[in-house]
């Protein structure tokens, strides 16, 4: 009888301990149990077919496009000719109109330690028709290459549009899987919002810039046909005073032009665009952003200018996340969070996409703006005006995934998983958008995580029921 009683009590104790343990570990959202098997990824070798140089003397290579103005009627076409400058013009025409026009660009070059770049061409085409397919041609003679793009619809509140999200891509076999997975996703992303860390060329001795060239050839298959909206990460800084390289972002800013002047920015590292129903603000985690700096002044002014009745979806992209519960890079975004979070909440930003942490994570709508160092209010709280923070630095670079997470999972973290993948932000109308995260190991239509977004501005105005298309 006594033994029986002890057994029963021990049973209760065990159940209690398990219960406490479960409660303790489940403080926040969901930590996926999915664990990838392989470790570090290696870069694809230089002779990989994805890095193939197009045939012909001085053939244009590394072709990529991005938005070329603030409204969406401009496109910047960039490419590199390896041997000589060659033609600097872009011939273009609408698919429904055979009248061909020519735009003239500029050529830049740079040296980096013992590397000399090819001839880097940037040509802005302006005053295109909205929502129209265009063909374009670059190069001359027998090395002419033809591509196409589709301009976005005129900005407006109910214009559906689909963005892809990729970050920290690199040039490994996993990078190739991520890009392929995005290309074959039936959601059909129309423009990529790239959250920084492109080539990882800086992982090579003396930041061997030939790995910038291979990366340019790798992404051409997508970036020549749809705009990639660029933001710079720490792997774009390329600051190595020991070898005389003292100008930060030199390769990045020579290779990737962005329309920063059209949003009154003074630096290509921070700028904004409108695209369909979205207003996208790019900020630089690795440029001065404190009070009184050019970026701070521009950013705070920029938020106040957004007309949510025209572009209801307010999206901010940056490299270093403000909220991340992974151990790697923990709290690196804290200084920017302190400076910028009150503005994100005040202006009801819908979503902040970041990279840097090589994994996926989605937050709840939370803010931590009440904390002032002395009041002790240092725990993020639910905040209906706050954005969702999504870390999508899982493109697949050679540094591999980060798997170590802070425990217990904080309450602000809704879902986290260390797998490679990409995101899709699919805007349906002024009130609703759908986000899906796609891990590389799944079928192309499968979502590892997803969330319906209810637009912050229109929700605050009481509009909750626009029919989802
Ligand atoms: Fe990074």
């Amino acid at each position: 009888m006594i033994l029986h009683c002890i057994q029963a009590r021990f049973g209760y104790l065990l159940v209690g301990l398990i219960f406490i343990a479960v409660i303790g570990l489940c403080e926040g959202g969901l930590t996926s149990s999915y664990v990838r098997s392989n470790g570090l990824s290696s870069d694809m070798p230089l002779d990989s077919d994805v890095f193939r140089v197009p045939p012909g003397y001085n053939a244009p290579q590394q072709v990529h496009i991005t938005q070329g103005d603030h409204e969406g009627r401009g496109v910047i076409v960039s490419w590199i000719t390896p041997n000589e400058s060659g033609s600097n013009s872009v011939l273009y025409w609408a698919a429904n109109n055979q009248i061909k026009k020519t735009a003239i660009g500029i050529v830049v070059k740079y040296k980096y330690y013992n590397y000399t770049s090819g001839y880097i061409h940037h040509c802005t085409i302006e005053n295109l028709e909205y929502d129209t397919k265009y063909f374009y041609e670059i190069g001359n003679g027998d090395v002419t290459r033809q591509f196409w793009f589709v301009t976005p619809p005129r900005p407006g509140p109910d214009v559906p549009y689909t963005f892809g999200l990729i970050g920290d891509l690199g040039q490994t076999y996993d990078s190739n899987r991520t890009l392929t997975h995005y290309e074959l996703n039936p959601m059909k992303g129309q423009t990529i919002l790239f959250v920084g860390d492109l080539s990882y060329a800086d992982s090579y001795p003396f930041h061997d810039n030939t790995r910038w060239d291979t990366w340019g050839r790798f992404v051409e298959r997508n970036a020549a046909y749809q705009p990639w909206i660029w933001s710079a990460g720490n792997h774009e800084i390329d600051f190595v005073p020991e070898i005389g390289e003292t100008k930060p972002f030199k390769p990045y800013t020579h290779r990737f032009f962005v329309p920063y002047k059209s949003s009154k920015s003074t630096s290509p590292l921070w700028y904004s665009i409108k695209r369909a129903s979205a207003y996208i603000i790019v900020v630089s985690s690795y440029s001065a952003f404190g009070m009184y700096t050019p970026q701070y002044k521009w950013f705070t002014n920029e938020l106040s200018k957004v007309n949510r009745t025209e572009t209801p979806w307010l999206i901010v992209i940056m490299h270093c996340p403000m909220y991340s519960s992974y151990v790697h890079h923990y709290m690196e975004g804290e200084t920017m969070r302190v400076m910028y979070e009150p503005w994100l909440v005040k202006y009801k930003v819908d979503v902040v996409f970041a990279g840097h942490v090589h994994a996926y994570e989605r937050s709840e709508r939370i803010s931590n703006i009440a904390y002032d160092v002395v009041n002790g209010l240092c725990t993020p709280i639910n905040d209906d005006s706050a954005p969702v923070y999504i870390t999508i630095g899982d493109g697949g670079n050679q540094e591999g995934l980060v798997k170590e997470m802070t425990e217990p999972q904080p309450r602000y973290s809704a879902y986290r998983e260390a797998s490679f993948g990409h995101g899709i932000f699919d805007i349906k109308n002024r009130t609703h958008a759908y986000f899906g995260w796609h891990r590389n190991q799944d079928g192309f239509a499968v979502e590892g995580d997803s969330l319906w977004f209810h637009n912050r501005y229109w929700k605050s105005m009481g509009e909750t029921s626009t029919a989802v298309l």
Side-chain angles (χ1 to χ4, degrees):
M1 180 64 187
I2 292 170
L3 185 66
H4 202 76
C5 193
I6 290 170
Q7 277 178 335
R9 284 184 182 178
F10 181 71
Y12 290 137
L13 184 66
L14 197 62
V15 169
L17 284 174
I18 291 170
F19 182 72
I20 289 165
V22 168
I23 291 294
L25 290 174
C26 293
E27 206 168 83
L30 184 67
T31 297
S32 171
S33 58
Y34 190 98
V35 178
R36 279 184 92 250
S37 54
N38 55 334
L40 286 176
S41 315
S42 54
D43 274 0
M44 294 179 283
L46 292 171
D47 61 356
S48 301
D49 59 351
V50 294
F51 299 148
R52 191 172 43 228
V53 175
Y57 173 76
N58 207 36
Q61 57 170 267
Q62 305 177 54
V63 184
H64 53 90
I65 61 171
T66 193
Q67 186 159 317
D69 67 351
H70 200 240
E71 304 285 327
R73 292 184 65 193
V75 170
I76 301 172
V77 180
S78 302
W79 70 97
I80 293 181
T81 47
N83 310 106
E84 56 181 284
S85 179
S87 168
N88 199 24
S89 60
V90 175
L91 188 68
Y92 65 98
W93 63 96
N96 58 3
N97 180 346
Q98 295 306 308
I99 298 173
K100 297 188 175 180
K101 295 182 179 175
T102 301
I104 308 293
I106 63 162
V107 186
V108 295
K109 285 187 82 164
Y110 72 91
K111 288 182 189 295
Y112 192 94
Y113 189 56
N114 59 2
Y115 168 92
T116 302
S117 76
Y119 297 82
I120 307 171
H121 302 250
H122 301 286
C123 179
T124 304
I125 309 173
E126 295 174 312
N127 298 317
L128 297 164
E129 297 298 321
Y130 286 117
D131 207 6
T132 301
K133 182 173 182 175
Y134 285 89
F135 292 96
Y136 69 98
E137 265 180 21
I138 52 177
N140 16 20
D142 57 356
V143 291
T144 298
R145 299 185 68 200
Q146 188 183 108
F147 305 88
W148 53 263
F149 58 77
V150 180
T151 53
R154 180 189 299 275
D158 289 310
V159 182
Y161 204 76
T162 308
F163 291 98
L165 279 307
I166 293 181
D168 304 70
L169 185 58
Q171 45 192 300
T172 70
Y173 295 98
D174 285 315
S175 320
N176 198 20
R177 284 185 200 113
T178 300
L179 186 55
T180 303
H181 215 68
Y182 170 69
E183 290 167 327
L184 297 177
N185 189 325
M187 295 293 286
K188 295 205 180 308
Q190 295 166 284
T191 292
I192 286 184
L193 305 179
F194 193 90
V195 295
D197 281 0
L198 285 65
S199 73
Y200 289 75
D202 61 347
S203 308
Y204 288 83
F206 310 114
H207 294 211
D208 183 358
N209 275 220
T210 56
R211 279 289 177 172
W212 271 111
D213 292 316
T214 52
W215 195 82
R217 295 197 291 272
F218 161 48
V219 299
E220 180 192 276
R221 72 181 198 233
N222 188 272
Y225 297 93
Q226 64 173 248
W228 288 37
I229 308 304
W230 302 110
S231 64
N234 53 305
H235 287 280
E236 278 67 71
I237 300 173
D238 284 315
F239 175 72
V240 194
E242 307 89 273
I243 58 171
E245 292 303 337
T246 54
K247 189 175 186 306
F249 303 105
K250 190 203 275 184
Y252 173 73
T253 52
H254 279 81
R255 289 168 183 271
F256 301 93
F257 272 25
V258 296
Y260 67 97
K261 289 177 183 165
S262 62
S263 57
K264 305 285 190 290
S265 166
T266 50
S267 166
L269 300 171
W270 59 86
Y271 63 99
S272 72
I273 57 165
K274 292 180 198 173
R275 198 160 180 89
S277 44
Y279 200 100
I280 294 144
I281 298 180
V282 176
V283 298
S284 174
S285 302
Y286 305 102
S287 305
F289 54 77
M291 193 77 83
Y292 317 122
T293 60
Q295 182 170 206
Y296 183 90
K297 197 171 176 184
W298 177 86
F299 177 68
T300 51
N301 186 47
E302 189 66 17
L303 283 170
S304 71
K305 291 195 317 199
V306 181
N307 176 2
R308 304 290 284 272
T309 60
E310 184 195 34
T311 49
W313 293 97
L314 182 48
I315 299 169
V316 173
I317 65 175
M318 61 183 61
H319 185 61
C320 186
M322 294 184 183
Y323 285 97
S324 168
S325 70
Y326 287 83
V327 171
H328 204 59
H329 300 312
Y330 188 61
M331 288 186 77
E332 283 183 17
E334 188 64 2
T335 41
M336 184 176 262
R337 185 195 67 71
V338 169
M339 294 306 299
Y340 285 13
E341 189 184 24
W343 299 93
L344 302 176
V345 175
K346 178 180 179 184
Y347 287 101
K348 295 183 167 52
V349 169
D350 291 291
V351 57
V352 176
F353 291 108
H356 199 41
V357 176
H358 300 162
Y360 170 74
E361 186 166 22
R362 171 173 61 82
S363 80
E364 304 287 357
R365 288 195 185 279
I366 39 88
S367 76
N368 195 13
I369 54 180
Y371 181 46
D372 67 359
V373 179
V374 293
N375 65 8
L377 302 173
C378 56
T379 304
I381 57 165
N382 292 336
D383 189 334
D384 212 36
S385 294
V388 170
Y389 296 88
I390 292 178
T391 302
I392 190 87
D394 54 351
N397 63 72
Q398 58 163 243
E399 293 175 354
L401 289 162
V402 294
K403 296 175 180 170
E404 201 181 346
M405 306 174 190
T406 59
E407 300 290 354
Q409 185 171 8
R411 287 185 191 280
Y412 70 73
S413 173
Y415 185 96
R416 57 185 185 175
E417 180 179 323
S419 293
F420 293 130
H422 72 274
I424 293 282
F425 191 75
D426 187 30
I427 298 172
K428 307 291 187 185
N429 54 38
R430 77 184 65 189
T431 59
H432 285 81
Y434 185 75
F435 175 78
W437 173 65
H438 298 258
R439 69 168 79 79
N440 287 357
Q441 287 72 25
D442 292 335
F444 301 118
V446 176
E447 290 152 351
D449 181 42
S450 63
L451 182 72
W452 273 104
F453 276 71
H454 192 172
N455 184 270
R456 290 300 97 184
Y457 172 78
W458 285 105
K459 184 160 190 270
S460 73
M461 299 297 285
E463 187 159 338
T464 58
S465 59
T466 306
V468 173
L469 301 173

